[in-house]
Amino acid sequence: MKEIRIEANGKLGPINAAEIPRYAGAATYARLPRLDQVQQADLKIVGVPFDSGVSYRPGARFGANHIRESSRLIRPYNPAVDLSPFEHIQVADAGDMAVNPFNINEAIETVQQNALDLTADGSKLLTLGGDHTIALPLLRAASERAGEPVALLHFDAHLDTWDTYFGAEYTHGTPFRRAVEEGILDTEAISHVGTRGPLYGKKDLEDDRRFGFGIVTSSDVYYQGVTEVVDKLRQRIGNRPLYVSIDIDVLDPAHAPGTGTPEAGGITSRELLEILRGLRGMNLVGADIVEVAPAYDHAEITGVAGSHVAYDLISLFADQARLANETAAGSGA
Ligand SMILES: N=C(N)NCCCC(=O)O
Ligand SMILES: [Zn+2]
Ligand SMILES: [Zn+2]
């Protein structure tokens, strides 16, 4: 059937829900065009159906498509930041990477190579996982594109700086330790947000601090509030190239039951969205949303959370473009 899309400023936007009911047709993120339907994209949304790195419940391989399905209700204007993101940048859904479920090392290579290929034209990536293992190759690609180690905001119940599981170095509990070892993170500007829950021992925290991570726990968000937390994060990171990795289990299981390693006492989806909105104007170079496992979801609670988190991340990318265009216009360029 013919697609009727919203178009503005030369950007091809979502299928118009006033013309074609939003539940009709195959799902792309927010009913945006596929990458092959646009000339060029500033931001590509790509799925990584991979969960061979999990330590508990499997199923995040279905996460990207679940987020896509749960994103049909997304509307084009984001009032929280007064922006129609899809009018400022061309966003397109690049589909899924074909990763080997039986060979983690090969899967990691594939994600890294695909991320480099997708960004060769200067575009940016928003990746939908997949388990957290994939953050390592995505960070490798992001730091290569940035030409320097990147700052990291890591939203997660977990540290994911553990060493090995069953002798395996590449798992969803270890990507950020590997990333520090590989020198792809700017260790002056890395922080976890939303950390909570039982650890193996105090050494987990000591190791983590030694690697350079700051921690904003889920309790810190509660006691200090979003504004203070955002101020601290902005001070720590400044204008460095910033990668944002969001493990959906940063949210309380009430807000995101569909995930593999849930921990009680998490932040709310409102707090997460507000913290993200607080990052406006920062130098965001890439982002991911991982660990959505639909088999444990109910009523698309986790899918909707993931799709809205993606929307506010897209709004951050779009806001950067809006600011750059305004600056260029203001200087008469
Ligand atoms: N990255 C996520 N979601 N979880 C890591 C949990 C590691 C563990 O089982 O100890
Ligand atoms: Zn986690
Ligand atoms: Zn994680």
Side-chain angles (χ1 to χ4, degrees):
M1 302 297 293
K2 191 173 155 19
E3 290 178 343
I4 304 169
R5 293 187 172 276
I6 299 168
E7 270 189 75
N9 303 329
K11 313 282 189 276
L12 195 59
I15 291 175
N16 189 341
E19 304 271 2
I20 300 178
R22 45 173 52 106
Y23 40 83
T28 56
Y29 177 78
R31 308 180 91 204
L32 285 163
R34 296 188 314 266
L35 187 56
D36 60 279
Q37 295 176 303
V38 294
Q39 304 281 335
Q40 154 283 341
D42 305 299
L43 177 66
K44 294 168 185 163
I45 298 173
V46 65
V48 183
F50 173 85
D51 63 6
S52 307
V54 299
S55 56
Y56 197 49
R57 299 168 174 171
R61 65 179 60 183
F62 300 108
N65 272 340
H66 188 57
I67 293 173
R68 289 187 178 106
E69 275 297 337
S70 304
S71 69
R72 291 174 175 276
L73 186 56
I74 296 277
R75 301 184 191 86
Y77 174 65
N78 185 350
V81 290
D82 185 23
L83 188 77
S84 295
F86 311 131
E87 295 185 8
H88 289 274
I89 48 174
Q90 179 64 60
V91 189
D93 192 322
D96 287 342
M97 298 185 188
V99 286
N100 189 333
F102 302 110
N103 183 331
I104 296 190
N105 290 351
E106 189 188 311
I108 288 173
E109 291 299 316
T110 304
V111 173
Q112 185 179 344
Q113 193 53 55
N114 283 340
L116 285 170
D117 293 346
L118 283 164
T119 53
D121 59 359
S123 61
K124 301 214 172 126
L125 271 194
L126 168 56
T127 307
L128 308 177
D131 77 48
H132 225 151
T133 311
I134 66 170
L136 176 66
L138 293 169
L139 281 166
R140 287 179 184 161
S143 69
E144 184 169 334
R145 285 285 169 242
E148 60 184 301
V150 293
L152 172 70
L153 277 182
H154 167 221
F155 294 84
D156 201 324
H158 308 98
L159 301 167
D160 290 357
T161 50
W162 285 292
D163 193 6
T164 57
Y165 286 84
F166 290 78
E169 290 176 289
Y170 301 105
T171 77
H172 79 152
T174 57
F176 302 113
R177 189 177 189 123
R178 297 290 95 80
V180 170
E181 289 167 353
E182 293 182 14
I184 56 181
L185 297 182
D186 179 343
T187 53
E188 301 284 300
I190 54 180
S191 188
H192 309 293
V193 184
T195 321
R196 63 188 187 277
L199 300 172
Y200 296 94
K202 202 165 184 163
K203 185 169 178 297
D204 297 351
L205 292 170
E206 291 160 2
D207 286 350
D208 191 80
R209 193 170 312 122
R210 187 160 40 81
F211 300 143
F213 281 93
I215 295 187
V216 176
T217 66
S218 131
S219 301
D220 291 336
V221 176
Y222 174 70
Y223 285 110
Q224 296 169 13
V226 166
T227 311
E228 198 175 318
V229 164
V230 164
D231 283 351
K232 279 189 190 157
L233 296 175
R234 292 187 74 104
Q235 267 175 38
R236 190 172 169 92
I237 289 158
N239 199 41
R240 295 170 163 100
L242 169 66
Y243 189 92
V244 173
S245 183
I246 301 182
D247 183 328
I248 205 69
D249 72 28
V250 70
L251 299 179
D252 190 88
H255 294 258
T259 196
T261 47
E263 312 280 351
I267 64 173
T268 66
S269 46
R270 180 174 58 213
E271 286 165 335
L272 177 56
L273 294 172
E274 284 300 325
I275 294 173
L276 292 177
R277 290 165 191 161
L279 306 181
R280 283 170 86 182
M282 294 179 80
N283 183 12
L284 186 62
V285 297
D288 64 57
I289 303 170
V290 296
E291 299 284 347
V292 171
Y296 307 95
D297 205 8
H298 307 273
E300 291 190 312
I301 296 171
T302 317
V304 169
S307 75
H308 284 245
V309 168
Y311 185 62
D312 267 279
L313 285 169
I314 293 167
S315 298
L316 286 175
F317 285 109
D319 195 54
Q320 282 177 303
R322 183 186 59 80
L323 268 173
N325 286 340
E326 273 175 18
T327 312
S331 66

